[in-house]
Amino acid sequence: MDAQGKVSSWTAVEDSTDLPIRQKVDIESTQSSSGSSAKSPKSSRSSHVKSSSISAPEKDLKVSSAKKEPAVKHPQTPVPTSQTAEALPDFIKRRNQLFEELKQKNDAEMREKPRPDIDVVIDLGLDQQGMPRAPMSSAAKAWESTPGSFLRHVDKTVSADVVVAKINGKELWDLDRPLEYSCRVSYLPFTSAEGRNVFWHSSAHVLGEAAECQYNCLLSHGPPVEQGFFYDMAIAEGQVVKETDWAPLESKASKFFKEKQPFDRLHVSIADLKQMFGYSKYKMYYIENLLPPEGSTVYRCGTLVDLCLGPHIQNTGKIKTFQIMKNSSCYFRGDKDDDSLQRIYGVAFPDKKSMAEHKKFLEEAAKRDHRKIGTDQELFFFDELSPGSAFLLPHGTIIFNALQKMIRSEYHQRGYQEVQTPNMYDVELWKKSGHWKHYHDDMFSLEVEKRKFALKPMNCPGHCVMFGHRERSYRELPLRLADFGVLHRNEASGALNGLTRVRRFQQDDAHIFCTQDQIIEEIEGLFNFLKYVYDIFDFKFKLKLSTRPEKYMGEIETWDMAEAKLTEALNNFTRREGGQWEINEGDGAFYGPKIDITTSDALKREHQCATIQLDFQMPQNFELEFMTGEATVKADTDTSTEGQPEDAGSATRTKIPGPGRARPVMIHRAIVGSFERFFAVITEHFAGKWPFWLSPRQVLVIPVMPAVNDYVEEVQKLLRAQRIHADIDISGNTMPKKILRGQHQQYNFIFVVGAQERDSRSVNIRNRDDRQTQAKGELVPLAEALQKLKALRKERRLVNAL
């Protein structure tokens, strides 16, 4: 399972809709002294960009090439002058002229296309009361009617917020792109995650247009990210983007917004793409290595023509406010041996109010940054001696252990058996599981006695070995194996980001081996476990079923059965607990459908920590079997591989279980996922004000005068005897300074004791979260205080009150 709580999720830093497949981008130093587009020397590497603290969730399977492509070699160098849009360099003019020629030819062909009648159902989503609006049917013409045309007949309070359309609940579609067949059309506003990404992606194109006008640069790619967007570019050798460039770039962008530049879409062949972008080695790399043979789409807005999958907003006039947030340097393709590029980050909104709210959000997020709190509270640190591996200090280890104890305490009653598996395996294991072919570049490997080994990046293959090491009976199923083992992944150095993206981590990993008839019960049990844990943190969560992708392994009948069982389990859970679940067509893993679980923190940011995935492929790869206890008809010796992509796994023909034997289903599951990532999430969620049961600083005992120091030490001893984390301050500082220090360090309770408290064996309690207790109040007997503290810890209450 993934460090971010996903099974086999080999991650990229950002999700680029400008590229036809995902890439791992190595974000490097804040502004570099060199912005050259020439080959960057190894010595030019520096510290990491301070990117947003919590990473956005990613797709579940990163495409990883079998071999590393050589660095691009095209030698062009951009012109080092600033030009107006009317005086762009010839290579941009030629690009734009070719686009216009191809566009006119395409428009002529479109005019000749037949316009058959098609049926369109318009889904306008929920009304202001949260109730579904009635769908509307509309007659339409193929290659003529557009999703945007239907909005003319819709109330402006609905249509004004629309960013992009969605066809049949699957494919995002430009509002001005003609429909091609009968379909169901829904609309996404900026407030939706997909709508916001489209809006920010379009805003990135405007930034790219401004950058071309400002620098005559060679653009690389510009995707939406969690808090806005960025664009990578190569500018003239010896130059870098400076903060003084921001205002001119913003001014140009503002001009483009007022022009209401449309986003024109055009599909272009590979040959024409090479002619169009031959001036740019970066675009040529994408064209030559990442695009399908039939070509790809290109979008134009204003003077920018860019290789892009889209979709986009209708025109730049939708963008009402735009701001550059920072700039940095980075490496093309995240490769330290490749070109050093300049990166500009920005953010944009459809109204000024949203921008103001965003700035407040960033201020609060900066205060809650887990890296800052981790330093201030001495929880953890990182060192270049072991990049991406956290040093958990004593207080951080207390929190880590408390999280692990919470999960472990549930295992016995929920039927889990905790196991330990090796950290290092012969690579033959990873070849058998199918991971080596796709992910070996992201694994730490080494040679021992002429054998090649690799540190484990996940536990599932080891658990398959454990299941298959002896005969198994149906009476043992479901077999629930839990493992807190240490995992390692060779994340790109620039992708490392505090505790949210690390190379060494642990997670509450478990794999359930069960029969097909047990799937529903097991999934419902996981929902119950999930709710129990997330309720402790007051986290609400959303459920989304991701179904069979275009490339999959196994038989359709098996997939249909699995999706039906997951659907039934989801319906049962939401019917019992309330709420709804969503379907995410075609986004399942190649080996089985999955349920994506997202939760929101105090700042309304969504995180995916938990995961539930069905896997039919790995038990097949390892030929896992159990005795059913009943005779069966002898089966063929080979499995069917219909629908399977050739490279999806290590084995496409395996032995079918014989009579009286069957293949188990494997369920991958994590509740909190990576403990390191979850640690970061809750640090920012609680802003460092830990609930008592998690807190490494539960009680601070302070004397009113030195004469009661002996009683202070006695109170600490009694508290620690009950495993309460109690500290004392008998330094020479004044009592107000001691109290102020305790408040700053976020102690849950401060016990202030003097002669009266000593003589009555009581304490005066100050509650961190209750201002009314900050002055001297009633004395609480020490024995009573101890019992209340123990109850508060045992019940894992969030409210800090005795």
Side-chain angles (χ1 to χ4, degrees):
M1 293 183 183
D2 190 289
Q4 312 312 311
K6 297 184 182 179
V7 176
S8 299
S9 172
W10 291 77
T11 54
V13 180
E14 328 274 10
D15 187 5
S16 172
T17 48
D18 266 337
L19 303 182
I21 64 171
R22 296 175 61 78
Q23 292 193 102
K24 186 162 62 177
V25 180
D26 191 356
I27 304 175
E28 283 300 320
S29 65
T30 52
Q31 185 155 329
S32 166
S33 60
S34 172
S36 170
S37 65
K39 202 76 165 176
S40 58
K42 294 183 180 181
S43 60
S44 68
R45 302 191 73 188
S46 52
S47 59
H48 307 138
V49 159
K50 297 297 183 181
S51 53
S52 60
S53 180
I54 298 292
S55 302
E58 288 110 358
K59 296 286 186 183
D60 275 358
L61 191 63
K62 185 194 78 177
V63 178
S64 176
S65 59
K67 64 178 181 178
K68 184 177 178 181
E69 296 290 344
V72 288
K73 299 295 184 184
H74 304 276
Q76 299 91 340
T77 301
V79 181
T81 59
S82 178
Q83 304 282 347
T84 64
E86 293 75 18
L88 288 168
D90 289 343
F91 69 85
I92 291 181
K93 291 179 180 179
R94 287 193 296 269
R95 176 195 70 190
N96 294 359
Q97 181 180 352
L98 177 58
F99 179 92
E100 182 59 31
E101 292 171 0
L102 295 174
K103 182 74 164 58
Q104 290 182 13
K105 181 181 178 181
N106 179 77
D107 290 347
E109 293 173 354
M110 288 289 291
R111 286 193 292 271
E112 299 301 318
K113 277 185 175 289
R115 303 286 198 270
D117 292 334
I118 57 175
D119 296 321
V120 176
V121 176
I122 302 170
D123 182 356
L124 295 176
L126 305 178
D127 60 21
Q128 293 180 345
Q129 285 71 44
M131 300 300 292
R133 293 186 175 94
M136 301 187 300
S137 297
S138 177
K141 297 282 188 181
W143 305 105
E144 179 179 307
S145 302
T146 66
S149 66
F150 304 124
L151 292 176
R152 298 170 192 154
H153 312 293
V154 174
D155 191 291
K156 285 188 177 181
T157 58
V158 177
S159 62
D161 294 334
V162 171
V163 170
V164 70
K166 198 170 193 180
I167 306 301
N168 294 332
K170 296 181 181 180
E171 184 177 2
L172 295 180
W173 200 275
D174 302 89
L175 290 174
D176 289 338
R177 178 184 172 187
L179 297 171
E180 301 170 9
Y181 43 81
S182 296
C183 58
R184 187 181 189 94
V185 178
S186 56
Y187 298 94
L188 300 175
F190 176 83
T191 51
S192 69
E194 289 177 303
R196 187 164 53 251
N197 276 343
V198 168
F199 189 93
W200 281 342
H201 183 197
S202 301
S203 303
H205 276 237
V206 178
L207 172 60
E209 182 183 3
E212 281 194 340
C213 292
Q214 178 99 350
Y215 304 110
N216 291 345
C217 56
L218 299 182
L219 298 176
S220 172
H221 76 300
V225 291
E226 186 181 13
Q227 300 300 334
F229 50 88
F230 68 77
Y231 224 116
D232 288 349
M233 63 201 71
I235 63 177
E237 186 169 356
Q239 293 189 12
V240 295
V241 175
K242 301 182 291 294
E243 192 168 344
T244 53
D245 296 340
W246 296 4
L249 287 167
E250 290 171 350
S251 178
K252 287 179 173 64
S254 179
K255 175 178 176 289
F256 302 152
F257 302 151
K258 293 175 183 177
E259 292 173 355
K260 296 184 178 180
Q261 300 171 350
F263 281 85
D264 298 320
R265 179 181 184 273
L266 182 66
H267 191 277
V268 181
S269 69
I270 291 293
D272 286 332
L273 286 172
K274 288 182 177 181
Q275 184 180 351
M276 186 177 291
F277 295 104
Y279 65 88
S280 171
K281 58 183 176 179
Y282 309 111
K283 300 299 183 185
M284 288 297 291
Y285 172 80
Y286 301 141
I287 293 168
E288 292 171 352
N289 294 280
L290 306 180
L291 294 185
E294 61 270 19
S296 186
T297 50
V298 171
Y299 278 80
R300 175 179 66 184
C301 70
T303 61
L304 177 70
V305 173
D306 205 4
L307 182 66
C308 178
L309 292 179
H312 284 284
I313 59 178
Q314 286 177 298
N315 62 71
T316 58
K318 296 281 186 180
I319 306 170
K320 302 301 183 184
T321 178
F322 173 100
Q323 185 171 331
I324 293 175
M325 306 304 292
K326 62 182 178 180
N327 63 273
S328 66
S329 64
C330 64
Y331 293 120
F332 181 57
R333 301 187 302 145
D335 187 343
K336 65 181 178 61
D337 295 322
D338 220 317
D339 289 5
S340 176
L341 304 179
Q342 295 292 293
R343 174 171 294 179
I344 303 175
Y345 289 88
V347 70
F349 292 94
D351 57 78
K352 293 182 178 180
K353 179 183 177 183
S354 297
M355 178 65 85
E357 292 174 347
H358 180 71
K359 289 180 178 178
K360 290 182 180 178
F361 162 82
L362 292 179
E363 290 176 5
E364 182 61 28
K367 296 176 186 176
R368 292 171 177 259
D369 191 325
H370 75 279
R371 294 165 297 190
K372 179 180 182 299
I373 293 172
T375 299
D376 293 345
Q377 296 189 2
E378 293 190 83
L379 304 178
F380 60 86
F381 70 92
F382 290 88
D383 192 285
E384 280 303 305
L385 290 171
S386 184
S389 301
F391 287 78
L392 287 185
L393 295 165
H395 286 130
T397 302
I398 288 172
I399 297 171
F400 188 95
N401 288 343
L403 290 172
Q404 201 171 88
K405 181 180 179 182
M406 171 197 65
I407 296 295
R408 183 177 274 120
S409 67
E410 289 295 305
Y411 277 168
H412 181 71
Q413 68 182 42
R414 296 179 186 272
Y416 286 86
Q417 302 177 62
E418 190 173 341
V419 298
Q420 295 186 21
T421 49
N423 281 74
M424 185 173 71
Y425 294 94
D426 190 300
V427 298
E428 290 303 316
L429 176 81
W430 308 110
K431 291 178 181 178
K432 190 172 187 178
S433 69
H435 291 102
W436 187 254
K437 183 173 184 178
H438 298 283
Y439 311 130
H440 68 274
D441 286 340
D442 296 311
M443 298 168 69
F444 290 102
S445 57
L446 64 159
E447 191 169 298
V448 180
E449 296 179 347
K450 297 183 180 181
R451 293 173 62 190
K452 195 164 188 177
F453 289 80
L455 297 179
K456 65 177 178 182
M458 71 271 295
N459 289 307
C460 34
H463 289 180
C464 286
V465 173
M466 187 169 284
F467 182 94
H469 89 285
R470 66 167 175 81
E471 284 280 5
R472 297 286 180 181
S473 166
Y474 70 94
R475 294 185 180 89
E476 296 180 73
L477 304 185
L479 181 64
R480 308 180 186 100
L481 301 180
D483 197 331
F484 292 116
V486 175
L487 306 175
H488 289 85
R489 295 189 182 170
N490 189 14
E491 299 283 359
S493 60
L496 302 177
N497 183 26
L499 292 176
T500 66
R501 182 75 62 187
V502 291
R503 288 175 173 166
R504 184 264 189 206
F505 60 97
Q506 291 175 257
Q507 51 189 18
D508 65 327
D509 205 0
H511 296 92
I512 302 171
F513 298 90
C514 64
T515 68
Q516 292 186 4
D517 292 338
Q518 294 169 333
I519 291 176
I520 293 177
E521 184 177 358
E522 288 305 303
I523 297 299
E524 289 183 349
L526 293 178
F527 288 156
N528 178 273
F529 197 173
L530 186 73
K531 186 176 186 304
Y532 170 81
V533 171
Y534 280 37
D535 279 352
I536 290 175
F537 299 94
D538 197 27
F539 282 160
K540 307 303 178 187
F541 57 88
K542 300 177 183 177
L543 301 168
K544 185 180 293 186
L545 172 61
S546 295
T547 58
R548 184 181 70 247
E550 183 177 343
K551 290 186 176 182
Y552 62 92
M553 298 203 74
E555 299 178 352
I556 290 181
E557 293 77 12
T558 303
W559 277 84
D560 291 342
M561 175 275 299
E563 290 172 6
K565 288 181 180 294
L566 291 182
T567 297
E568 183 177 346
L570 284 163
N571 286 335
N572 292 343
F573 179 75
T574 53
R575 189 163 44 243
R576 184 174 65 252
E577 301 293 341
Q580 297 178 331
W581 59 274
E582 302 174 23
I583 191 163
N584 190 12
E585 294 281 1
D587 201 41
F590 67 83
Y591 48 77
K594 61 191 178 72
I595 297 174
D596 295 321
I597 301 116
T598 56
T599 187
S600 298
D601 65 12
L603 294 183
K604 308 302 181 185
R605 297 172 298 185
E606 289 197 346
H607 309 287
Q608 182 171 342
C609 299
T611 187
I612 299 171
Q613 297 197 0
L614 289 187
D615 187 350
F616 301 95
Q617 187 57 38
M618 199 168 295
Q620 180 173 306
N621 286 355
F622 283 89
E623 298 185 354
L624 302 183
E625 300 177 2
F626 64 91
M627 295 180 290
T628 64
E630 56 187 42
T632 60
V633 178
K634 185 175 182 180
D636 295 334
T637 58
D638 294 322
T639 63
S640 170
T641 59
E642 180 180 352
Q644 297 180 358
E646 292 182 2
D647 63 347
S650 62
T652 56
R653 301 180 71 84
T654 54
K655 180 182 176 183
I656 285 287
R661 309 180 74 82
R663 190 91 70 211
V665 177
M666 187 177 186
I667 303 176
H668 305 252
R669 83 101 183 100
I671 302 299
V672 303
S674 158
F675 282 105
E676 284 78 2
R677 176 175 171 79
F678 197 75
F679 194 158
V681 170
I682 61 175
T683 299
E684 300 188 3
H685 178 66
F686 294 124
K689 292 188 175 182
W690 298 102
F692 185 79
W693 70 275
L694 273 176
S695 179
R697 296 177 173 90
Q698 294 174 326
V699 177
L700 176 64
V701 190
I702 294 175
V704 173
M705 51 193 175
V708 295
N709 283 356
D710 289 346
Y711 182 57
V712 168
E713 292 175 343
E714 181 186 356
V715 170
Q716 180 192 33
K717 185 176 180 180
L718 290 171
L719 291 169
R720 287 188 169 181
Q722 299 299 323
R723 294 178 291 107
I724 293 170
H725 305 303
D727 299 317
I728 61 175
D729 189 345
I730 54 175
S731 67
N733 289 327
T734 63
M735 187 179 74
K737 283 187 177 180
K738 293 175 181 179
I739 292 174
L740 189 62
R741 171 181 167 274
Q743 291 173 337
H744 176 73
Q745 293 180 327
Q746 301 297 343
Y747 280 90
N748 298 74
F749 300 100
I750 298 177
F751 287 6
V752 180
V753 297
Q756 186 179 4
E757 287 80 8
R758 177 195 58 195
D759 296 341
S760 61
R761 297 196 61 76
S762 60
V763 290
N764 191 286
I765 302 176
R766 288 172 174 256
N767 184 333
R768 179 193 64 196
D769 300 336
D770 186 355
R771 290 189 176 183
Q772 294 182 353
T773 66
Q774 301 306 307
K776 183 177 180 179
E778 295 183 3
L779 303 186
V780 178
L782 180 56
E784 180 183 336
L786 277 170
Q787 291 302 315
K788 288 182 176 181
L789 290 173
K790 288 165 61 178
L792 180 60
R793 180 183 60 195
K794 181 180 179 180
E795 295 166 16
R796 297 193 178 100
R797 300 200 301 266
L798 289 182
V799 178
N800 196 60
L802 296 179

